[in-house]
Amino acid sequence: QVQLVESGGGLVQAGGSLRLSCAASGRVFRINAMGWYRQAPGKQRELVAAITRGGSTNYADSVKGRFTISRDNAKSTVSLQMNSLKPEDTAVYYCNAEFQKTTYTPNSLSWGQGTQVTVSS
């Protein structure tokens, strides 16, 4: 199993920036795609950004041009740089990771505990 620990959330004014980080630990064969999701009160959890092991990225339309996802495979970390934050970005942000326990097993999914991001207007 992979354990994920997020950090970097907080309170920021609109137009400001925050950087979220997520560190993965656990003895597995390989961590494949990693990503960030968010869930605002009363809304479903949604994809914010994802990145493959090879570095290909995918962003929600609402964050394109403002957020940047990156990862360090050697350190098993994924980060989300969030610029030009808006009040509608307020949510709990969750890190997730697809991983293989062994070379023969399919992907499993692990989630972090979440970190609160609040953007004031």
Side-chain angles (χ1 to χ4, degrees):
Q1 189 71 3
V2 168
Q3 293 78 43
L4 302 172
V5 178
E6 301 109 331
S7 60
L11 173 64
V12 64
Q13 288 188 329
S17 297
L18 281 175
R19 184 176 181 86
L20 304 183
S21 296
C22 174
S25 62
R27 296 187 66 179
V28 295
F29 169 64
R30 184 168 58 199
I31 296 174
N32 293 316
M34 302 185 79
W36 289 94
Y37 284 69
R38 67 186 180 188
Q39 187 167 19
K43 294 188 177 182
Q44 288 188 328
R45 190 174 296 188
E46 62 175 2
L47 172 69
V48 176
I51 185 168
T52 67
R53 186 170 181 82
S56 296
T57 58
N58 181 39
Y59 295 94
D61 287 343
S62 59
V63 307
K64 283 180 181 177
R66 300 188 297 124
F67 291 10
T68 302
I69 189 170
S70 60
R71 67 185 286 173
D72 184 328
N73 290 332
K75 296 181 179 180
S76 297
T77 60
V78 62
S79 297
L80 185 69
Q81 178 65 43
M82 305 185 293
N83 298 328
S84 302
L85 282 161
K86 304 175 181 180
E88 51 263 43
D89 294 318
T90 295
V92 177
Y93 284 69
Y94 297 90
C95 169
N96 83 343
E98 293 179 348
F99 64 94
Q100 289 173 266
K101 292 181 181 179
T102 72
T103 186
Y104 304 108
T105 55
N107 276 335
S108 297
L109 191 63
S110 184
W111 291 90
Q113 80 286 354
T115 185
Q116 178 70 46
V117 171
T118 302
V119 184
S120 62
S121 57

